[in-house]
Short mmCIF file of all heavy atoms in Angstrom, two decimals:
data_model
loop_
_atom_site.label_atom_id
_atom_site.label_comp_id
_atom_site.label_asym_id
_atom_site.label_seq_id
_atom_site.Cartn_x
_atom_site.Cartn_y
_atom_site.Cartn_z
N LEU E 208 -57.08 -30.62 9.61
CA LEU E 208 -55.63 -30.28 10.12
C LEU E 208 -54.70 -31.20 9.47
O LEU E 208 -53.62 -30.77 8.97
CB LEU E 208 -55.72 -30.29 11.60
CG LEU E 208 -54.27 -30.10 12.22
CD1 LEU E 208 -53.84 -28.70 12.05
CD2 LEU E 208 -54.24 -30.56 13.67
N SER E 209 -54.94 -32.45 9.38
CA SER E 209 -54.04 -33.46 8.84
C SER E 209 -53.77 -33.21 7.37
O SER E 209 -52.56 -33.30 6.99
CB SER E 209 -54.64 -34.87 9.07
OG SER E 209 -54.72 -35.19 10.46
N THR E 210 -54.75 -32.92 6.59
CA THR E 210 -54.46 -32.67 5.15
C THR E 210 -53.68 -31.45 5.03
O THR E 210 -52.84 -31.27 4.01
CB THR E 210 -55.67 -32.73 4.34
OG1 THR E 210 -55.41 -32.57 2.92
CG2 THR E 210 -56.72 -31.55 4.61
N MET E 211 -53.93 -30.37 5.80
CA MET E 211 -53.12 -29.14 5.66
C MET E 211 -51.78 -29.38 6.13
O MET E 211 -50.72 -28.82 5.37
CB MET E 211 -53.85 -28.07 6.54
CG MET E 211 -55.17 -27.51 6.07
SD MET E 211 -54.91 -26.56 4.47
CE MET E 211 -56.71 -26.17 4.15
N LEU E 212 -51.44 -30.14 7.06
CA LEU E 212 -50.13 -30.37 7.47
C LEU E 212 -49.36 -31.28 6.40
O LEU E 212 -48.23 -30.96 6.11
CB LEU E 212 -50.12 -31.14 8.80
CG LEU E 212 -50.32 -30.31 10.07
CD1 LEU E 212 -50.48 -31.16 11.27
CD2 LEU E 212 -49.08 -29.35 10.31
N ARG E 213 -49.96 -32.23 5.90
CA ARG E 213 -49.47 -33.12 4.81
C ARG E 213 -48.98 -32.36 3.66
O ARG E 213 -48.01 -32.59 3.06
CB ARG E 213 -50.27 -34.26 4.54
CG ARG E 213 -50.49 -35.35 5.60
CD ARG E 213 -51.13 -36.60 5.02
NE ARG E 213 -51.40 -37.44 6.15
CZ ARG E 213 -52.49 -37.63 6.87
NH1 ARG E 213 -53.44 -36.84 6.62
NH2 ARG E 213 -52.60 -38.42 7.89
N ASP E 214 -49.87 -31.41 3.29
CA ASP E 214 -49.65 -30.60 2.08
C ASP E 214 -48.76 -29.35 2.35
O ASP E 214 -48.60 -28.50 1.45
CB ASP E 214 -51.00 -30.13 1.45
CG ASP E 214 -51.73 -31.32 0.76
OD1 ASP E 214 -51.16 -32.49 0.76
OD2 ASP E 214 -52.89 -31.14 0.36
N GLY E 215 -48.29 -29.15 3.55
CA GLY E 215 -47.46 -28.02 3.83
C GLY E 215 -48.27 -26.66 3.84
O GLY E 215 -47.65 -25.68 3.53
N MET E 216 -49.53 -26.69 4.08
CA MET E 216 -50.36 -25.56 3.97
C MET E 216 -50.64 -24.83 5.24
O MET E 216 -51.07 -23.67 5.19
CB MET E 216 -51.68 -25.93 3.29
CG MET E 216 -51.64 -26.30 1.79
SD MET E 216 -51.07 -24.93 0.70
CE MET E 216 -49.38 -25.39 0.36
N LEU E 217 -50.48 -25.50 6.38
CA LEU E 217 -50.76 -24.81 7.70
C LEU E 217 -49.63 -23.78 8.00
O LEU E 217 -48.44 -24.12 8.00
CB LEU E 217 -50.81 -25.84 8.76
CG LEU E 217 -51.39 -25.32 10.10
CD1 LEU E 217 -52.89 -25.06 9.97
CD2 LEU E 217 -51.12 -26.23 11.23
N SER E 218 -50.11 -22.52 8.22
CA SER E 218 -49.11 -21.54 8.67
C SER E 218 -48.96 -21.45 10.22
O SER E 218 -47.80 -21.09 10.67
CB SER E 218 -49.70 -20.19 8.16
OG SER E 218 -49.98 -20.22 6.77
N ARG E 219 -49.92 -21.76 10.98
CA ARG E 219 -49.87 -21.65 12.33
C ARG E 219 -50.89 -22.53 13.08
O ARG E 219 -52.00 -22.64 12.60
CB ARG E 219 -49.96 -20.13 12.86
CG ARG E 219 -49.73 -19.90 14.38
CD ARG E 219 -49.60 -18.35 14.64
NE ARG E 219 -48.40 -17.83 14.09
CZ ARG E 219 -48.13 -16.52 14.06
NH1 ARG E 219 -49.03 -15.70 14.55
NH2 ARG E 219 -47.01 -16.16 13.53
N LEU E 220 -50.52 -22.99 14.30
CA LEU E 220 -51.40 -23.76 15.07
C LEU E 220 -51.52 -23.18 16.47
O LEU E 220 -50.43 -22.94 17.13
CB LEU E 220 -51.01 -25.18 15.24
CG LEU E 220 -51.86 -26.05 16.24
CD1 LEU E 220 -53.20 -26.22 15.76
CD2 LEU E 220 -51.07 -27.42 16.48
N TYR E 221 -52.75 -22.84 17.05
CA TYR E 221 -52.97 -22.33 18.32
C TYR E 221 -53.60 -23.50 19.17
O TYR E 221 -54.55 -24.08 18.71
CB TYR E 221 -53.83 -21.14 18.34
CG TYR E 221 -53.21 -19.95 17.69
CD1 TYR E 221 -53.27 -19.62 16.44
CD2 TYR E 221 -52.63 -18.91 18.53
CE1 TYR E 221 -52.72 -18.50 15.83
CE2 TYR E 221 -52.15 -17.72 17.95
CZ TYR E 221 -52.30 -17.58 16.63
OH TYR E 221 -51.65 -16.43 16.15
N LEU E 222 -52.95 -23.74 20.34
CA LEU E 222 -53.41 -24.89 21.13
C LEU E 222 -53.62 -24.51 22.51
O LEU E 222 -52.59 -24.06 23.16
CB LEU E 222 -52.43 -26.02 21.03
CG LEU E 222 -52.67 -27.23 21.82
CD1 LEU E 222 -54.09 -27.92 21.50
CD2 LEU E 222 -51.54 -28.33 21.77
N THR E 223 -54.81 -24.70 23.06
CA THR E 223 -55.09 -24.45 24.45
C THR E 223 -55.04 -25.81 25.11
O THR E 223 -55.68 -26.76 24.72
CB THR E 223 -56.33 -23.89 24.67
OG1 THR E 223 -56.47 -22.54 24.20
CG2 THR E 223 -56.76 -23.74 26.24
N ILE E 224 -54.17 -25.97 26.18
CA ILE E 224 -54.06 -27.27 26.79
C ILE E 224 -54.64 -27.09 28.33
O ILE E 224 -54.00 -26.47 29.11
CB ILE E 224 -52.56 -27.69 26.93
CG1 ILE E 224 -52.02 -27.90 25.51
CG2 ILE E 224 -52.49 -29.15 27.55
CD1 ILE E 224 -50.56 -28.12 25.39
#
Side-chain angles (χ1 to χ4, degrees):
L208 179 69
S209 298
T210 185
M211 289 293 178
L212 283 168
R213 286 191 187 96
D214 289 356
M216 292 292 105
L217 188 74
S218 306
R219 184 171 291 172
L220 172 66
Y221 291 85
L222 176 60
T223 296
I224 305 171

